[in-house]
Amino acid sequence: MPSLTLQGQRLYYEDTQGSAPALVFAHSFLMDGSMFHGLAQRFRSQWRCISWDARGHGSSSGALEPFTYDDVADDLAALLTSLGVSKAVVVGVSQGSQVALRFALRHRQHLRALVLMGAQAGTEDPQKLPGQASLIDEWARAGLSEPMARGMAHRLVDAGWHGIAEWQAKWRSWTPAQLRRCFSTLALRDDLSGRLGDVQPPALLIHGGRDVCVSAARARALAQELPHAQWLQIPGAGHAPLLTHPAEVEAAMARFLAHLGDPLYPEFSEPSSSQLAAA
């Protein structure tokens, strides 16, 4: 398996390679880079598609000392540098969107554009956080029961999605220490609200109309703060629309990426005001 040891972490990654511009994928909490296999297959003919397992997730390994999403954004920057990528479009889902936004703030010279799903700028909803913490604590103490597995599926993807059993099996392999550490990073993250006004690259925000983790109001507030953002809400989709509604997500991304200009050249064209209004 391809991996690199960076910042004390051995990061597993997948890379379609080639000279095309880079499209890099940042996965959500409890998931891993394989959630992007469909998108990579769709876009690999025009883009160099790179996914990786964030620290604490998937096939990546290393000492799980306390870490923040700033650290994960720095992991991403180090990975891209090691792979010879100077600039990339970053596609982030949920936790991955938190990483992508911090990458935009900390490594803006390497950012070409953002595609965000299940995204928000703020901390976790204080009304939801106690219930989330209780669930994680019970899971860590007693294992993932079937009702809990269904509940996690409902929150993170969609309980009725055909591929959910594979992820539920992966979740059962998480260790208590791994689970608590990665949840602590999510729960204690800092608030980015009011800090994103100078993120100039174009952004596409895709939001599921049935997302129970991030409200449409929170996602729209993020879209309004980013200077060059387009918005798309997919009715019927949950927190991970790329899995449950791949055709809609792929079509929206294809339109958005086309607005970046000829992908063979490093420069991009920002969406016009009329395109933003239409979105």
Side-chain angles (χ1 to χ4, degrees), residues 178-258:
Q178 176 189 19
L179 188 62
R180 288 193 167 105
R181 176 65 67 212
C182 292
F183 177 73
S184 176
T185 299
L186 181 148
L188 299 178
R189 70 178 185 271
D190 56 330
D191 189 349
L192 298 183
S193 300
R195 296 171 53 191
L196 300 169
D198 60 350
V199 176
Q200 292 300 316
L204 170 64
L205 276 77
I206 302 174
H207 194 72
R210 294 197 303 119
D211 189 334
V212 297
C213 289
V214 178
S215 68
R218 283 179 164 237
R220 278 192 176 276
L222 169 59
Q224 290 165 359
E225 186 170 352
L226 292 168
H228 302 288
Q230 299 184 33
W231 167 269
L232 173 67
Q233 183 161 306
I234 301 178
H239 196 50
L242 75 161
L243 297 178
T244 60
H245 294 69
E248 293 94 326
V249 169
E250 290 169 12
M253 284 184 58
R255 291 192 299 270
F256 175 74
L257 293 174

Side-chain angles (χ1 to χ4, degrees), residues 55-57 64-69 71-72 95 181-182 184-185:
R55 59 172 72 190
H57 292 72
L64 269 186
E65 302 297 329
F67 68 96
T68 68
Y69 289 142
D71 296 320
V72 183
Q95 169 185 278
R181 176 65 67 212
C182 292
S184 176
T185 299

Side-chain angles (χ1 to χ4, degrees), residues 38-235:
L39 284 182
Q41 186 63 32
R42 165 63 177 80
F43 290 105
R44 65 181 299 164
S45 64
Q46 292 180 294
W47 295 83
R48 178 181 178 179
C49 294
I50 301 167
S51 61
W52 97 106
D53 295 351
R55 59 172 72 190
H57 292 72
S59 296
S60 290
S61 59
L64 269 186
E65 302 297 329
F67 68 96
T68 68
Y69 289 142
D70 285 347
D71 296 320
V72 183
D74 292 347
D75 290 344
L76 173 56
L79 176 63
L80 293 180
T81 297
S82 295
L83 297 178
V85 175
S86 61
K87 187 169 289 219
V89 176
V90 181
V91 182
V93 179
S94 190
Q95 169 185 278
S97 69
Q98 295 291 330
V99 174
L101 290 171
R102 285 162 177 78
F103 183 87
L105 292 171
R106 296 170 68 83
H107 305 282
R108 63 189 65 194
Q109 72 276 19
H110 299 306
L111 180 66
R112 189 175 186 189
L114 291 167
V115 178
L116 306 176
M117 296 174 239
Q120 58 183 324
T123 57
E124 285 298 283
D125 186 333
Q127 295 184 336
K128 296 178 180 179
L129 189 56
Q132 295 170 352
S134 177
L135 186 151
I136 293 296
D137 183 62
E138 181 181 352
W139 178 355
R141 286 188 297 101
L144 185 68
S145 67
E146 189 58 34
M148 290 167 63
R150 288 196 300 269
M152 293 304 299
H154 175 63
R155 289 176 176 86
L156 297 181
V157 187
D158 188 317
W161 178 56
H162 65 84
I164 199 61
E166 176 185 353
W167 288 104
Q168 290 169 323
K170 289 184 178 184
W171 296 339
R172 289 190 171 90
S173 71
W174 277 59
T175 67
Q178 176 189 19
L179 188 62
R180 288 193 167 105
R181 176 65 67 212
C182 292
F183 177 73
S184 176
T185 299
L186 181 148
L188 299 178
R189 70 178 185 271
D190 56 330
D191 189 349
L192 298 183
S193 300
R195 296 171 53 191
L196 300 169
D198 60 350
V199 176
Q200 292 300 316
L204 170 64
L205 276 77
I206 302 174
H207 194 72
R210 294 197 303 119
D211 189 334
V212 297
C213 289
V214 178
S215 68
R218 283 179 164 237
R220 278 192 176 276
L222 169 59
Q224 290 165 359
E225 186 170 352
L226 292 168
H228 302 288
Q230 299 184 33
W231 167 269
L232 173 67
Q233 183 161 306
I234 301 178

